[in-house]
Amino acid sequence: MTTVTNSRTERREVMRRIRPRRSPAVPLSLLSWAGAAAVVTLWWRNTPNVVGDAAWLVGGGRLTGLLSGYSIALVVLLMARVPALERRVGSDRVARWHAMSGRYTLCLVLAHIVLIIWGYAAQARTGVVDQTVTVVTEYPDMVRAVIGTALLLLVGLVSAGTVRRRMPYEAWYYLHLMTYAGVYLAFWHQLAAGAEFVADETARTAWYALYGTVTAALVWFRVLVPVGLNLRHRMRVLAVVPEAPGMVSVVIGGRDLDRLGAEPGQFFRWRFLAPGLRWGSHPYSLSAPPQPERLRITVKAVGGHSSALAALEPGTRVWAEGPYGSMTPGRRSRSKVLLIAGGAGITPLRALFETLPGRGGDITLLYRARSMEDLALWDELQRIAEERGARLLYAVNGPDGARPEITAERLRTVLPDIDRHDVFLCGPPGLAEHAYAALREAGVPDRRIHHESFEM
């Protein structure tokens, strides 16, 4: 009886520790829609009876202008790297929200320009070109608004998939920063020319509060917090260690690094202050739990920045921002866990493999690689598996290059109760897509498949 009681007590303790935190995604989505509803209400309250085509066009132009102004504020807020979003919702999900809301915003901006010019031209009984010249040259703050809008459209163009893939990351990143200049230049004409703000002090105050809050979040989380972090911890490269063909670990030293608040499975955005690297900031996961005076990342050479890390000299100054990411032990909701890693995706999962709470026998790691030589950190993984009593499996290509596919049938063979597992998945997009489909077919619910992409 004592043995059973102790087992139950232990299990209850494990479940208490792995109880997942609630994601704020749904309440945040509802809050953003509530803000949009408030904007529509503002337009409705200040819109008289609409009679005639010209009035409908002008009314539509005013409404799309208000909505675009509101959505631009949300786009910038999603760039602010607010910890509650980055750590709880997930950086990849926030990046998708940012991209999606950016596309909607540009559509609203274009609709606003077309409708308002067309409507004003119909009211004045003049041509569209003449009316455009009149609006730009005679309306307050319109020249700045035109420049700001052009910058926003340029950012939207370079962020389109086909253009973005052809650009170096650093070029795209610094062009993307022009969003801030575009928003600043376009902001003032909203208050100077917007009918909703000219005679409504409450509306003006609310608009200032919205943009002021977003600006404060941006300055705090993108500038002041990183400056404080790096002044406090003073990070430098300690060593660069080869792990597998084309993969190295970078050991980073500093002060009180265990007080960064980083969890296994999270990442930082790293900037190495060395020639050719200082202008690029890239996300790399921690490949080991943080220690008081050192952190470790393990990076696969897939581009110019990641390839150059192998040549880093000890003593190189490091600038870091983070920690970010939501693929942490807090996402776990079951006592049994399967970790599926591919390529450089082993880095966050190796840290989770060592630190996930619970009995080792409930933890399984499946590592997919091209060959045995590509199984980075394998000796460490074997040691962790032996110490914890966890299961460690690998799948590598055969001598003829044949790929062992991850299928629902094979997953059920290895883990007959796979549908009662939480799954943490990290790897190249192709592997992640294929493994996700196999897991769903094997009966694992979507809410228990935890994946975070770094293709941001």
Side-chain angles (χ1 to χ4, degrees), residues 37-76:
V39 169
V40 174
T41 301
L42 174 65
W43 171 83
W44 182 267
R45 193 183 67 183
N46 289 277
T47 302
N49 293 331
V50 180
V51 179
D53 293 343
W56 278 107
L57 289 169
V58 172
R62 286 171 47 221
L63 178 59
T64 52
L66 285 169
L67 288 172
S68 63
Y70 170 72
S71 59
I72 282 174
L74 295 186
V75 169
V76 175

Side-chain angles (χ1 to χ4, degrees), residues 59-140:
R62 286 171 47 221
L63 178 59
T64 52
L66 285 169
L67 288 172
S68 63
Y70 170 72
S71 59
I72 282 174
L74 295 186
V75 169
V76 175
L77 182 62
L78 291 170
M79 295 172 69
R81 297 178 186 166
V82 179
L85 294 176
E86 296 277 337
R87 300 180 190 180
R88 296 287 301 280
V89 176
S91 296
D92 59 341
R93 196 173 184 183
V94 172
R96 289 195 296 271
W97 286 0
H98 169 71
M100 178 183 65
S101 57
R103 289 191 289 269
Y104 288 150
T105 297
L106 290 179
C107 290
L108 287 168
V109 168
L110 292 172
H112 166 65
I113 295 170
V114 171
L115 291 172
I116 207 76
I117 295 294
W118 192 5
Y120 284 170
Q123 286 181 337
R125 299 183 184 280
T126 185
V128 170
V129 174
D130 290 339
Q131 187 61 46
T132 301
V133 173
T134 299
V135 168
V136 172
T137 58
E138 298 184 9
Y139 281 56

